[in-house]
Amino acid sequence: MKNIIKYTISLGIAAGLLWYVFKDINLAAMFDAFRKADYRWIIASGLLTILAHWSRAYRWSLLMEPVVGRRVSAFDTTLAVLTGYFANLIIPRMGEVTRCGTLNRLEGVPVNVSFGTVVAERVFDVLVLLTLITGTFLLEFDRLSTFFLDFFSSKLNVPGLKDNSWPLIILAGSLLGGLVLVWFFYNKYKEVLREKPFFQKIRKFTDGLLEGLLSVRKLKNPGAFALHTVLIWVTYYFMSYVLFFSMPQTSGLDMLAGLTILIMGGIGMAAPVQGGIGPFHLLVGNTLVLYGLTQQDGIVLATFMHAVQTLVTLLLGGLSFLIVLFRQNRSPLAQTAATEPVNLGR
């Protein structure tokens, strides 16, 4: 029941945001723009999306090599990554768990270890995103500062946000106070907690995560890892940028606009709703207005971007799920691991 309520709330948020985004949009004009679009650029964006998924899967196999003791099949990691994205479209935040469970089925890699490597690559991606956000804010400070202040004060009806920083100070203080309380109670009762079976299971799982995180220090090919990290984000950038040329109204946008859309889209996709539906459209569509587009054209382009990524994920993710489901030729390691207690994903 808790999960049903959680997913219902997530769907409700997505539906509410979609209604808010499209309530003033001429849908007939939007579908006409879809019909007249240059689909060569849309196909190019789809191919770049596939390249980004493959590069992420290959980078993941590099991370797991020092932990597992051998190179995990890049084909299997690609299947796992695509299956994870497919699951994330259905249930928010289930992509990572599904991804690790799929790899456990295919290659026998323990879920806690593979999950640790997922956390490690997420750390790198967050660092890259924060760097891009910082750089973009420096380059486009006037546009973005105006956007966020107007968005939170006008769109969300928070009066006086420009002149009142107390809500932010109270929020930051509450978070810091909560962390201090958690740390205090842990130190006071840690000896008692260590005797509890539940705490021991958490400790065992955390050790697996730590092993995965430390795999970065043991990389056999750090140059390839760095190269694929760059390739992933460059591909993410051009996935959106090439779509500018799919419509005459957006073909004049420059590369700096593409960088702004990249970070706004990344923030939107990180929202805890299925596939970023709603937050992506809201953030990207409203940001494009800052570059001279009308609200209508901004939402149309945002919808294009999200639809291309979602369709590729649905098609390739669904196909990957079927391949994993009916695959019989499992590796010897996977066959052995399936009978061992450490295999937490079975």
Side-chain angles (χ1 to χ4, degrees):
M1 181 59 66
K2 183 191 297 184
N3 287 333
I4 291 173
I5 293 173
K6 180 171 65 176
Y7 303 142
T8 301
I9 291 174
S10 177
L11 284 171
I13 293 173
L17 288 175
L18 281 177
W19 172 83
Y20 180 79
V21 169
F22 289 101
K23 66 183 177 69
D24 298 320
I25 299 300
N26 186 332
L27 296 181
M30 184 175 74
F31 290 128
D32 187 58
F34 288 169
R35 184 177 58 82
K36 295 178 180 178
D38 188 343
Y39 278 81
R40 292 175 299 177
W41 294 108
I42 295 172
I43 292 171
S45 179
L47 293 175
L48 287 167
T49 304
I50 295 171
L51 176 61
H53 292 336
W54 171 80
S55 183
R56 177 173 292 282
Y58 189 84
R59 186 184 68 168
W60 191 29
S61 69
L62 293 174
L63 264 178
M64 280 186 291
E65 185 177 5
V67 179
V68 179
R70 63 179 179 87
R71 175 69 63 84
V72 178
S73 166
F75 179 72
D76 285 345
T77 56
T78 302
L79 289 176
V81 166
L82 290 171
T83 303
Y85 282 138
F86 182 70
N88 213 37
L89 287 175
I90 302 171
I91 304 174
R93 307 276 75 88
M94 276 298 294
E96 288 79 5
V97 176
T98 303
R99 171 175 161 182
C100 297
T102 300
L103 192 68
N104 175 264
R105 176 185 177 91
L106 297 174
E107 293 278 347
V109 179
V111 171
N112 59 337
V113 173
S114 62
F115 194 80
T117 59
V118 171
V119 174
E121 69 164 6
R122 284 287 186 259
V123 169
F124 277 92
D125 287 334
V126 168
L127 290 175
V128 173
L129 182 59
L130 289 176
T131 302
L132 290 173
I133 290 173
T134 302
T136 305
F137 262 92
L138 290 175
L139 293 170
E140 295 283 73
F141 179 78
D142 290 338
R143 276 195 176 106
L144 293 179
S145 61
T146 300
F147 168 75
F148 279 110
L149 289 173
D150 288 346
F151 180 82
F152 285 108
S153 61
S154 301
K155 301 287 186 182
L156 299 182
N157 296 318
V158 182
L161 186 63
K162 294 182 180 181
D163 305 317
N164 190 357
S165 60
W166 281 109
L168 296 177
I169 295 174
I170 292 172
L171 177 61
S174 300
L175 290 174
L176 181 60
L179 290 173
V180 170
L181 283 175
V182 169
W183 180 252
F184 171 78
F185 282 108
Y186 171 75
N187 279 292
K188 185 174 182 178
Y189 299 106
K190 61 182 177 181
E191 296 300 329
V192 177
L193 289 173
R194 287 173 181 172
E195 301 298 324
K196 303 294 182 181
F198 179 72
F199 183 85
Q200 292 172 2
K201 289 180 181 179
I202 293 177
R203 183 66 179 270
K204 184 178 180 180
F205 189 79
T206 304
D207 289 342
L209 291 179
L210 184 61
E211 183 180 359
L213 285 169
L214 294 178
S215 65
V216 176
R217 300 190 308 175
K218 306 173 185 177
L219 280 171
K220 295 184 178 180
N221 196 343
F225 180 86
L227 176 64
H228 278 279
T229 299
V230 173
L231 178 61
I232 289 168
W233 284 93
V234 169
T235 309
Y236 282 171
Y237 173 83
F238 282 103
M239 280 163 47
S240 300
Y241 181 71
V242 297
L243 288 176
F244 289 176
F245 305 104
S246 64
M247 298 187 302
Q249 304 94 312
T250 59
S251 59
L253 293 172
D254 59 19
M255 298 190 74
L256 193 55
L259 184 60
T260 306
I261 296 309
L262 173 66
I263 65 165
M264 288 300 183
I267 295 171
M269 293 297 287
V273 296
Q274 285 84 342
I277 299 173
F280 182 94
H281 300 76
L282 181 66
L283 289 175
V284 172
N286 282 280
T287 301
L288 285 166
V289 176
L290 300 176
Y291 291 90
L293 268 66
T294 64
Q295 184 80 10
Q296 175 82 23
D297 291 336
I299 296 300
V300 169
L301 183 58
T303 305
F304 254 139
M305 292 176 180
H306 191 272
V308 171
Q309 297 177 35
T310 302
L311 286 175
V312 171
T313 301
L314 283 172
L315 291 173
L316 295 183
L319 179 62
S320 299
F321 174 76
L322 292 175
I323 292 173
V324 172
L325 188 63
F326 294 105
R327 180 167 161 178
Q328 298 296 327
N329 56 331
R330 297 170 66 194
S331 68
L333 177 59
Q335 293 172 359
T336 302
T339 61
E340 295 178 356
V342 72
N343 187 349
L344 302 180
R346 294 293 293 163

